[in-house]
Amino acid sequence: SQTIHQWPATLVQPVGSPLSLECTVEGTSNPNLYWYRQAAGRGLQLLFYSVGIGQISSEVPQNLSASRPQDRQFILSSKKLLLSDSGFYLCAWSGPRGRSNSNQPQHFGDGTRLSIL
Amino acid sequence: AQKVTQAQTEISVVEKEDVTLDCVYETRDTTYYLFWYKQPPSGELVFLIRRNSFDEQNEISGRYSWNFQKSTSSFNFTITASQVVDSAVYFCALSEGSGGYQKVTFGTGTKLQVIP
């Protein structure tokens, strides 16, 4: 069965420090991968998505970046964190389209609570 | 452009009451998919159901049921005989897209509190 791992679970970082959040998927090949941010009490904002190794698309311009060095690894990074980067970050994967070209549900990791001081 | 509206920000019910969470969507595509996710206090999002635009049959899974009506662009979620464990934020989502990327738009969520 497929599983998704995301770490760390919580992180407290000072303003201006770098960031690296990692997400890995097991049990599937060539997944679509996503990074979302959820501000306190609000909905999900898509940050990045990837349909293959080295292919990253950004939905929202910001000081964050993403990379996909391996098929099932997705990394969210920043060189200098801002206070506004605080939030709950979720990684997700979805399978390729089904035989009937159906869109697949996204499956989420447990999330990382990031606090910027 | 696609849009999902969950007008109910928070709902409180007493245990064993039935509750319906509303979801209204907008899309120009004729082929699309609708989803519901549950986010308990622990934070992870749990996939509950997927429905495609060509299947308007309502679905029931235990105490959960979903009512999909294309005529009103709605995909409402009903919990029967609610329990405290149902307390969570529930998200409705819409997926269009072609090629490899399946763009998903989430609603802002409805926080459900079930009071014992």
Side-chain angles (χ1 to χ4, degrees), chain A residues 32 38 97 102-104 106, chain B residues 39 50 95-97 99 102:
Chain A
N32 292 340
Q38 185 178 28
R97 291 176 176 273
S102 60
N103 288 15
Q104 301 301 308
Q106 295 182 1
Chain B
Q39 186 178 37
R50 177 186 67 175
S95 175
E96 301 171 342
Q102 303 163 33

Side-chain angles (χ1 to χ4, degrees), chain B residues 62-102:
Chain B
R63 296 183 296 105
Y64 295 172
S65 62
W66 291 269
N67 182 2
F68 176 32
Q69 293 197 352
K70 286 179 75 170
S71 60
T72 56
S73 297
S74 65
F75 186 42
N76 296 338
F77 174 28
T78 297
I79 302 174
T80 303
S82 59
Q83 299 176 3
V84 172
V85 293
D86 296 326
S87 297
V89 180
Y90 291 86
F91 290 94
C92 180
L94 167 69
S95 175
E96 301 171 342
S98 58
Y101 173 52
Q102 303 163 33

Side-chain angles (χ1 to χ4, degrees), chain A residues 36-70:
Chain A
Y36 288 89
R37 176 169 58 203
Q38 185 178 28
R42 305 182 74 175
L44 291 155
Q45 179 186 39
L46 178 64
L47 301 176
F48 301 94
Y49 66 90
S50 171
V51 299
I53 295 175
Q55 300 178 59
I56 308 294
S57 295
S58 173
E59 287 288 301
V60 182
Q62 57 213 312
N63 69 319
L64 299 171
S65 62
S67 62
R68 185 170 176 173
Q70 300 180 45

Side-chain angles (χ1 to χ4, degrees), chain A residues 76-89:
Chain A
L76 182 68
S77 304
S78 173
K79 292 182 180 178
K80 274 187 172 184
L81 285 167
L82 306 173
L83 280 174
S84 57
D85 291 324
S86 291
F88 188 52
Y89 289 81

Side-chain angles (χ1 to χ4, degrees), chain A residues 1-4 25-28 93:
Chain A
S1 62
Q2 302 90 354
T3 55
I4 179 169
V25 180
E26 295 176 1
T28 186
W93 73 272

